[in-house]
Amino acid sequence: MVKWILVAAARPNFMKIAPLLRAIKTYNRLNGHRLIPYLVHTGQHYDYNMSEAFFGDLGIPKPDTHLGVGSGTHAEQSAKVMIAFEKVLVREKPALVIVVGDVNSTMACALTAVKLHIPVAHVEAGLRSFDRTMPEEINRIVTDCVSEYLFTPSPDGDKNLLREGISEDKTYLVGDIMVDSLLDSLEKAKNRPTLEKLGLVAGCNGGSADRKTGVRSYALLTLHRPANVDNGDRLSRILNGITRIAERIPVLFPVHPRTQKQVRLFGLENAFVFHQTPALELSDYEEGGVLKKKIHCFEPFGYLDFLNLMAHAKVILTDSGGIQQETTVMNIPCVTLRDTTERPLTISQGTNVLVNDDEQKIVSEVSKALNGVRRKSMCPAIWDGHTAERIVTILAGKQEE
Ligand code: UD1
């Protein structure tokens, strides 16, 4: 019996943890029961629709331990995670700790484990934006530096690790674990009545829609990076671009809690229509039933509803990391509101383009997408939905050595 602790903390972690838990189960079934997964939720994200909703959508069991750390400054949050996680490690004595992604809890748990001489596996290792003002970049560098097993999603990750002096023997190119969840959930997500509930399908609240699909056209926006939303000037520039887009096509905007706070702080509420209920209302439509060309704001959606909305969007504007990958796999135009990306394959092979906070670029790249000007894109070969299986097989083999 070998116990592995898996750490989940924030929204972008949950779709990376779910396939690992599934792969461990499968491994045990095929090889005799030997691996015991022990799930720790640090509580970095705690709102229902930033956390619990994802557990339900992804079929993740209740965590074995919830650290309940909540929000705070970087130091406060990381320190609280370390203090609480150390107690769990001392009590549970795992053979391995698996961390995913690049959030504060990823780094904090990796550091805590390695100081207790417990080996750490980092899933989604090697990504670099080369922008050290991003908290995630520091988390990536520190986590990779102390990890024993580094699982990269793409060859650029291997090169980055090598350049930083990390031995090739520790690095494994396994593909993108987010794609495991995406491919596993896409059909289920598409079958949900998300669009109907929002009134985005012809027949709901009346109105015209695409003749073939019956779906009304819309762009989808996500925005939460501190660099974008904590700086009023930058946020205003981005919103100017998006407001111009909303003159052409309705923009649906599930608003991250950080962004909700900042929009209020900078007094920018007038740029949006806020929806208290998850559904659009009759007042959101012009006469004749066409959805008003405005920025329509919602509370964050769960995983499956958001996948559904992505799958039917004409274009996605985002500053998220994961959405750049998901849109590449789904072959949907992605306009990224950043000046760097730690996921260069989404540009060289996928549908992604960087526009930073440049109003003109935002408008012109979205216009290209709306006018059907598409770059040739292809899904990287190794993003095939089997990343978690590869990781579990490698780790189980290593533990036997
Ligand atoms: C964190 C990650 C980021 C990831 C993002 C996804 C770090 C450094 N950042 O950023 O990489 O892309 O999650 O969402 O780890 N809040 C709530 N409810 C919640 C969670 C947060 O209201 O459930 C609010 C709090 O006011 C908090 C703020 O959002 O202060 C920011 O949360 P935090 O976890 O610090 O960072 P994120 O911006 O979510």
Side-chain angles (χ1 to χ4, degrees):
M1 296 288 205
V2 179
K3 187 181 280 179
W4 290 355
I5 288 190
L6 294 94
V7 178
R11 186 170 64 175
N13 292 163
F14 306 131
M15 62 292 281
K16 299 169 193 167
I17 286 294
L20 285 171
L21 290 170
R22 259 199 319 274
I24 291 173
K25 238 186 185 173
T26 309
Y27 185 90
N28 280 339
R29 202 180 54 238
L30 298 177
N31 299 281
H33 189 80
R34 282 180 303 132
L35 306 172
I36 307 169
Y38 185 97
L39 182 61
V40 174
H41 189 333
T42 67
Q44 177 168 341
H45 283 175
Y46 42 85
D47 284 353
Y48 174 82
N49 49 12
M50 298 293 286
S51 175
E52 218 178 309
F54 282 73
F55 275 65
D57 280 358
L58 289 156
I60 306 175
K62 216 171 155 267
D64 296 287
T65 295
H66 197 295
L67 306 182
V69 298
S71 301
T73 65
H74 288 277
E76 282 166 355
Q77 192 173 58
S78 307
K80 278 197 254 171
V81 171
M82 290 179 80
I83 292 166
F85 190 56
E86 186 174 52
K87 294 191 177 99
V88 178
L89 292 179
V90 170
R91 187 182 69 224
E92 299 299 330
K93 300 184 178 45
L96 178 76
V97 168
I98 304 179
V99 295
V100 298
D102 55 17
V103 301
N104 284 342
S105 303
T106 308
M107 177 207 63
C109 291
L111 270 181
T112 310
V114 78
K115 292 219 174 179
L116 290 173
H117 307 149
I118 300 166
V120 175
H122 184 203
V123 177
E124 212 180 61
L127 298 188
R128 296 290 181 269
S129 65
F130 303 102
D131 174 1
R132 289 200 178 200
T133 65
M134 287 179 77
E136 295 81 5
E137 183 75 352
I138 306 299
N139 293 339
R140 292 179 200 119
I141 293 169
V142 172
T143 306
D144 285 342
C145 188
V146 299
S147 292
E148 186 61 27
Y149 307 106
L150 297 105
F151 295 106
T152 60
S154 46
D156 52 285
D158 295 56
K159 277 192 208 130
N160 292 335
L161 294 174
L162 206 55
R163 192 175 338 97
E164 288 172 21
I166 292 173
S167 160
E168 262 179 310
D169 299 344
K170 294 183 175 181
T171 304
Y172 306 86
L173 175 60
V174 289
D176 189 335
I177 194 137
M178 276 193 114
V179 179
D180 289 20
S181 277
L182 175 62
L183 297 183
D184 192 60
S185 307
L186 197 53
E187 273 319 300
K188 210 187 313 164
K190 281 184 181 168
N191 288 331
R192 279 169 85 86
T194 314
L195 298 175
E196 287 83 348
K197 276 196 194 152
L198 285 174
L200 285 163
V201 172
C204 303
N205 295 334
S208 58
D210 182 298
R211 242 183 283 147
K212 256 200 246 150
T213 62
V215 176
R216 293 189 175 92
S217 291
Y218 61 88
L220 186 61
L221 165 69
T222 80
L223 191 65
H224 76 278
R225 293 263 157 229
N228 281 339
V229 304
D230 291 0
N231 175 326
D233 290 340
R234 207 176 144 90
L235 183 55
S236 295
R237 277 197 295 279
I238 290 174
L239 288 182
N240 286 343
I242 292 166
T243 305
R244 282 175 60 190
I245 289 159
E247 288 164 8
R248 198 167 158 197
I249 185 168
V251 178
L252 304 189
F253 183 20
V255 193
H256 187 286
R258 173 191 284 278
T259 312
Q260 293 189 18
K261 256 200 211 159
Q262 295 305 105
V263 163
R264 275 196 294 274
L265 184 74
F266 297 130
L268 295 168
E269 294 98 322
N270 288 345
F272 309 107
V273 184
F274 283 96
H275 294 277
Q276 303 303 328
T277 59
L280 295 161
E281 291 154 29
L282 272 178
S283 59
D284 298 316
Y285 294 88
E286 310 280 6
E287 233 173 274
V290 178
L291 188 58
K292 278 185 184 161
K293 290 179 180 147
K294 288 202 167 155
I295 308 176
H296 297 269
C297 295
F298 301 90
E299 288 296 319
F301 293 102
Y303 183 65
L304 295 174
D305 283 330
F306 190 73
L307 278 191
N308 185 308
L309 286 173
M310 278 210 285
H312 295 100
K314 287 274 176 236
V315 58
I316 298 183
L317 293 112
T318 191
D319 59 2
S320 147
I323 292 174
Q324 296 172 58
Q325 290 157 291
E326 288 164 342
T327 45
T328 277
V329 176
M330 294 162 90
N331 196 21
I332 299 163
C334 179
V335 174
T336 296
L337 302 154
R338 292 173 48 188
D339 59 351
T340 58
T341 180
E342 57 290 328
R343 291 154 164 102
L345 271 193
T346 61
I347 295 180
S348 61
Q349 297 189 23
T351 58
N352 190 18
V353 59
L354 302 182
V355 294
N356 200 11
D357 59 348
D358 183 327
E359 181 181 330
Q360 198 46 47
K361 265 197 195 160
I362 296 172
V363 173
S364 71
E365 286 300 334
V366 171
S367 297
K368 277 189 210 164
L370 295 181
N371 295 338
V373 181
R374 301 285 291 264
R375 290 184 311 135
K376 260 202 182 147
S377 72
M378 60 178 215
C379 180
I382 199 168
W383 295 6
D384 61 357
H386 296 287
T387 293
E389 289 153 40
R390 290 185 198 107
I391 292 171
V392 170
T393 304
I394 292 167
L395 287 174
K398 287 282 165 194
Q399 303 259 294
E400 271 172 14
E401 276 175 12

